[in-house]
Amino acid sequence: MSNEFTLSCVALFIMSPPLFAADQSGQRFDSTAFPQPPRSLDRHRLRADTPAVGHLVHLNNAGASLPPQQVTERVIAHLRLEEQIGGYEAAERVAEEWENGRKSLAQLIGGQSEGIAIMESSTAALHKVLSTVPLHSGDRILVAGAEYAGTVLPLLQLTRRMGVQLDFLPDGPDGTVDADELSRQLRTPTRMVFAVHAPSHNGLINDVIAIGAATRAAQHQPWYVVDACQSLGQLPIDVSQIDCDFLLASGRKYLRGPRGTGVLCVGPRALAELDAFPLDVRGGTWARARDVEIDPTAVRFENYERSVAAGLGLMAAADYAHQIGIGAIAGAVARNAEYLRSHLGGLADWRLLDRGKRRSGIVVVRSTATPPGEIVSSLRRERVNLHVVPATSNPRELGDQPALRISPHAFNNQADLDRALDLLANFSS
Ligand SMILES: Cc1ncc(COP(=O)(O)O)c(C=O)c1O
């Protein structure tokens, strides 16, 4: 264990007595729900690999994290290779590395590499899923209350375009999906169930394993789609336990990959029963004048044209997360977020919005005195990055008011958090 980590842990427990006490929402943080790191976090290495920490306090990892330099270097090296030998030729040269990278991503989520498609974003993956799953007028789709706007928007369009029925699951007492209530809801025939693992506008964590069990038990066999955008690279994910048909994730957030990358994990039932629509020449073959041959793996969901450099960067980010250890990352992110919550909870004029017994690295607060945009601009001038969550990211839960999001990663140390807290304290009366 590094000295820095030891010190920051000691300081954390001394300085933040309310860490495990009830917060302003009256809910207790369940520390036992977080996995203990199987090995200690090497924060010195994390910071050495993240050059910007020398001049920046980046607490917008739920927006886009700072990639480790190994990721950036991998992207640049491939762009240089393309410059030197040509794009198609460079792609051929890295074909083996690409397939190893697919395995690395699969291992990160407990899946098989045959089930992994490399996408341009999580939303690109969602759109492919929505155009693939056969939907008919009257089909019912259930979504978690904390769903992301980018998921809800096309579903709302489908209610208008083709008459599907979209229902929001009632929240359990802590704001997460109540699996028993879901089981009751699933007595009514349902075509698809969507659950966001860790939403971007609230620090709650949905129990996607319990949601999966309830969905699997449903008589009508709905397709189960999990949004792991904010959890990939932050929390342990095991698709074999979640038992979903599709898991979608972004590369640029907690995984720390380059922008313009995403992952789609396709489960065995979807691979057996669904094609992938529309197919591109990577995912299918035009054979014998009028035949379509479909790739047997999740590659059927991919497009031919993409940034190979960004894809290699995504894979380098997966390798990096393995090296640091996802359990160690999860523990450090959770501790950083609870440290912020415990201190913000004590400041006048601030209200914590996070719900859930288990909480992610996403801390969402509102100042009753100052609009979040003003706070973000002010801290940006001090080289501290926070983010405004617009009310439109989930108006059911945020109403018509934006909120302030602070999303630490494992590379953030206590000095980073204290710097942000000191600046935020200026907005208290
Ligand atoms: C919870 C959640 N789902 C989905 C998305 C969309 O991901 P992408 O921008 O990679 O399409 C985001 C992006 O912020 C998100 O936070």
Side-chain angles (χ1 to χ4, degrees):
M1 185 181 285
S2 75
N3 287 341
E4 186 192 14
F5 177 73
T6 316
L7 283 175
S8 69
C9 270
V10 170
L12 192 151
F13 284 104
I14 293 171
M15 294 178 62
S16 42
L19 186 62
F20 301 109
D23 66 16
Q24 288 172 348
S25 65
Q27 285 157 3
R28 279 185 75 82
F29 167 63
D30 176 7
S31 64
T32 58
F34 284 97
Q36 284 304 305
R39 58 177 189 265
S40 62
L41 182 82
D42 189 349
R43 187 171 279 130
H44 278 301
R45 175 177 172 192
L46 277 171
R47 289 182 76 80
D49 291 339
T50 312
V53 297
H55 62 264
L56 180 70
V57 175
H58 188 69
L59 296 169
N60 186 17
N61 296 286
S65 189
L66 302 173
Q69 57 194 2
Q70 290 83 341
V71 168
T72 310
E73 278 160 15
R74 188 65 201 90
V75 174
I76 293 170
H78 192 74
L79 291 174
R80 288 273 172 246
L81 187 65
E82 289 183 342
E83 179 187 62
Q84 291 303 316
I85 69 168
Y88 283 25
E89 295 73 11
E92 269 176 37
R93 201 175 277 187
V94 298
E96 195 179 330
E97 179 184 347
W98 188 271
E99 288 317 311
N100 288 337
R102 203 188 289 280
K103 282 187 201 131
S104 181
L105 283 161
Q107 276 165 15
L108 207 54
I109 57 172
Q112 304 292 324
S113 59
E114 297 71 39
I116 299 292
I118 310 299
M119 310 298 287
E120 298 76 18
S121 68
S122 177
T123 305
L126 171 77
H127 292 175
K128 206 73 172 229
V129 169
L130 284 178
S131 55
T132 297
V133 171
L135 287 170
H136 308 282
S137 174
D139 279 350
R140 181 175 188 235
I141 298 178
L142 278 176
V143 296
E147 218 60 55
Y148 177 67
T151 304
V152 176
L153 279 169
L155 297 177
L156 283 173
Q157 281 184 297
L158 287 176
T159 64
R160 286 169 200 155
R161 287 167 75 107
M162 57 183 301
V164 302
Q165 182 189 333
L166 177 65
D167 290 332
F168 288 89
L169 279 164
D171 288 343
D174 69 350
T176 59
V177 171
D178 179 338
D180 293 335
E181 175 58 25
L182 173 61
S183 299
R184 273 190 290 282
Q185 291 281 338
L186 287 172
R187 287 182 201 144
T188 306
T190 301
R191 176 71 66 185
M192 298 182 87
V193 172
F194 286 79
V196 58
H197 193 188
S200 50
H201 69 284
N202 195 287
L204 64 82
I205 299 177
N206 272 317
D207 185 348
V208 285
I209 296 178
I211 297 170
T215 305
R216 280 290 163 253
Q219 205 190 347
H220 301 275
Q221 297 195 309
W223 297 100
Y224 178 32
V225 185
V226 172
D227 174 346
C229 274
Q230 298 291 358
S231 50
L232 181 67
Q234 179 189 171
L235 297 169
I237 296 176
D238 186 346
V239 285
S240 68
Q241 284 192 53
I242 298 171
D243 207 3
C244 52
D245 297 300
F246 300 99
L247 180 132
L248 330 160
S250 309
R252 70 182 181 282
K253 298 178 184 289
Y254 282 88
L255 185 58
R256 309 180 66 197
R259 293 204 66 176
T261 58
V263 181
L264 170 64
C265 176
V266 186
R269 177 183 161 216
L271 278 181
E273 294 181 25
L274 300 174
D275 48 5
F277 183 84
L279 282 172
D280 182 32
V281 292
R282 181 175 299 283
T285 310
W286 181 16
R288 294 173 296 277
R290 294 188 68 85
D291 282 351
V292 176
E293 286 172 0
I294 299 172
D295 190 283
T297 73
V299 166
R300 71 182 73 160
F301 288 88
E302 295 181 1
N303 287 330
Y304 181 80
E305 183 49 16
R306 55 163 161 231
S307 166
V308 177
L312 291 170
L314 172 75
M315 293 159 178
D319 290 345
Y320 189 78
H322 284 299
Q323 287 161 24
I324 300 296
I326 205 73
I329 294 171
V333 171
R335 283 190 293 278
N336 278 346
E338 286 307 317
Y339 182 78
L340 289 168
R341 285 188 190 106
S342 65
H343 286 269
L344 286 164
L347 289 181
D349 301 331
W350 288 89
R351 202 160 61 84
L352 284 171
L353 303 186
D354 297 329
R355 305 181 73 195
K357 280 194 204 68
R358 286 187 70 205
R359 303 211 185 131
S360 74
I362 291 173
V363 179
V364 182
V365 283
R366 274 199 187 116
S367 153
T368 50
T370 316
E374 215 175 287
I375 298 172
V376 168
S377 306
S378 165
L379 269 72
R380 180 90 49 94
R381 287 193 287 275
E382 304 292 331
R383 284 180 285 180
V384 175
N385 288 345
L386 311 181
H387 184 69
V388 180
V389 189
T392 49
S393 66
N394 187 317
R396 293 179 76 251
E397 298 193 346
L398 291 173
D400 58 2
Q401 296 298 314
L404 181 70
R405 186 177 71 198
I406 315 171
S407 50
H409 208 304
F411 60 75
N412 292 117
N413 60 13
Q414 197 187 331
D416 286 351
L417 308 182
D418 287 341
R419 173 88 184 116
L421 286 167
D422 284 349
L423 292 167
L424 291 173
N426 294 332
F427 293 92
S428 287
S429 51

